[in-house]
Amino acid sequence: ALEILTSDEARELFASAIKAGKETGMDSRDTGRDIAPSLLQLDNEGTPSARAYAAMKSAAKDSRSFRLAALALEVRSAKAGHFEKVLMAIDNMIGMLKKEDDADIAKRDQCKDEYLDIESTSKDLEWKIEKNEAKIDKLTKLIQLRTEQLAKTVEQINEVEAHMRAITDELNAENAAFLKAKEEDQQSIDLLMAAR
């Protein structure tokens, strides 16, 4: 608002719209010179309030702070020696800035805590993944070993079963030969007994 009202275009507009002496009750003939009225009082630029206004306006412009610009307007509009409202406004602004600073610190601390929690969780998960991968490798090797042992055991069982079949076949053949020999012996005994 200050920049708009103090711009060169605004001054020209006010100079053309306001006739010298008409609104103020003065006549340019009374002073002996033509007066180009302006809304700004340029004659008190050396006063402390004007210097305070200029400093605050400059700071508001540099920091782009609307609150500081509003405070600068209060300084400018305050009557000489009546800075109680301005001082209260400054105290209020300092209080608000402290609250904002405390809120910023609390938010920063909350973000740090969340970051630490996320980092801790991430490291814990990485450790669990590493541990589980090692366990998977160990179990894979154990499965491979057990598979090899199973194949060897199955092979041994097949060899034993083949050996048992061979022995059984041999025993059956020997038993059949024994039974045949026994029958022949019995027939011979029966024949001899009958011949007696």
Side-chain angles (χ1 to χ4, degrees), residues 14-195:
F14 290 138
S16 66
I18 299 174
K19 303 291 184 225
K22 299 290 184 193
E23 283 75 13
T24 61
M26 291 178 39
D27 193 353
S28 61
R29 291 175 285 168
D30 295 340
T31 60
R33 60 188 168 125
D34 287 336
I35 299 174
S38 172
L39 293 178
L40 297 176
Q41 295 178 353
L42 301 176
D43 60 341
N44 66 349
E45 289 180 0
T47 65
S49 63
R51 287 195 305 267
Y53 167 73
M56 292 176 85
K57 178 183 170 188
S58 174
K61 188 175 182 181
D62 291 343
S63 65
R64 296 182 181 187
S65 170
F66 290 114
R67 287 185 280 187
L68 197 55
L71 192 59
L73 282 175
E74 283 194 42
V75 167
R76 174 141 188 170
S77 65
K79 296 186 178 173
H82 295 94
F83 280 97
E84 290 84 17
K85 288 183 181 179
V86 174
L87 293 175
M88 277 180 35
I90 290 172
D91 290 340
N92 289 340
M93 182 179 285
I94 289 172
M96 286 189 334
L97 290 174
K98 283 183 181 178
K99 286 180 184 176
E100 287 179 3
D101 189 39
D102 291 343
D104 289 345
I105 289 171
K107 186 65 173 176
R108 181 202 64 200
D109 292 344
Q110 177 190 358
C111 289
K112 280 183 179 179
D113 291 342
E114 288 177 5
Y115 176 76
L116 290 175
D117 287 345
I118 291 170
E119 185 178 15
S120 174
T121 302
S122 175
K123 285 184 179 181
D124 183 50
L125 289 175
E126 288 174 3
W127 178 79
K128 285 180 180 178
I129 289 171
E130 186 177 322
K131 184 178 174 185
N132 287 338
E133 285 177 348
K135 192 172 186 179
I136 288 170
D137 289 343
K138 181 180 176 185
L139 291 175
T140 302
K141 289 177 182 175
L142 184 63
I143 289 171
Q144 185 179 3
L145 176 68
R146 296 293 186 241
T147 304
E148 291 172 1
Q149 289 175 342
L150 176 65
K152 188 174 183 180
T153 302
V154 168
E155 183 181 334
Q156 289 173 346
I157 289 172
N158 289 338
E159 288 175 3
V160 168
E161 286 176 349
H163 182 66
M164 285 176 58
R165 279 193 300 274
I167 290 174
T168 302
D169 290 345
E170 185 180 328
L171 288 176
N172 286 340
E174 288 177 4
N175 188 30
F178 169 75
L179 289 175
K180 185 175 181 184
K182 180 180 173 188
E183 187 179 331
E184 287 176 357
D185 287 345
Q186 189 65 40
Q187 287 174 358
S188 297
I189 290 173
D190 287 342
L191 188 61
L192 288 174
M193 292 297 271

